[in-house]
Amino acid sequence: AIDPQFNENREKVGEENGVAVWGPVDEPEQLGIRGTHVAVDYDICIADGACLEDCPVDVFTWVDTPGHPESERKAEPTKEAQCIDCMLCVDVCPVDAIDVDAG
Ligand code: SF4
Ligand code: F3S
């Protein structure tokens, strides 16, 4: 599962599409955690898609990640600023790849 303390235990190494990237990153096999308020561990995500389908405010978009061992696309929390903290995505992700900091 995603580490809920990732922002203390990892370093922010950059941004992609305006979304924070928390390392370590070693493309294409290791992609790190993306996002801060809504965070997706790309190294755990298997592209199930439930988060995209269920988010009521369309926070997520697919991004292609060819060569990643778990899946060739990931759910990017592109519009995390729109999140209403409903926690649906956290509940439906089958591999617990998402953390929402509702605090
Ligand atoms: Fe969308 Fe709710 Fe997840 Fe926020 S907590 S990203 S609003 S599903
Ligand atoms: Fe990935 Fe979980 Fe969404 S596997 S696509 S973060 S439901």
Side-chain angles (χ1 to χ4, degrees):
I2 186 171
D3 173 9
Q5 308 294 321
F6 71 89
N7 50 334
E8 288 161 29
N9 297 334
R10 292 175 177 234
E11 259 181 68
K12 188 176 165 182
V13 295
E15 274 191 11
E16 203 171 277
N17 304 325
V19 177
V21 179
W22 302 84
V25 171
D26 183 14
E27 292 180 4
E29 294 90 0
Q30 191 175 27
L31 299 172
I33 290 175
R34 310 300 177 103
T36 304
H37 179 72
V38 181
V40 178
D41 192 326
Y42 277 20
D43 295 312
I44 297 176
C45 174
I46 56 170
D48 176 83
C51 58
L52 275 100
E53 284 165 28
D54 289 2
C55 177
V57 291
D58 295 331
V59 162
F60 302 98
T61 20
W62 287 121
V63 294
D64 291 326
T65 57
H68 190 271
E70 296 300 336
S71 57
E72 304 240 312
R73 60 182 186 167
K74 307 291 178 185
E76 181 182 76
T78 318
K79 297 178 186 162
E80 61 183 330
Q82 296 181 7
C83 174
I84 57 170
D85 299 342
C86 72
M87 295 306 200
L88 260 178
C89 58
V90 172
D91 292 341
V92 296
C93 177
V95 289
D96 290 333
I98 308 176
D99 179 67
V100 174
D101 180 13

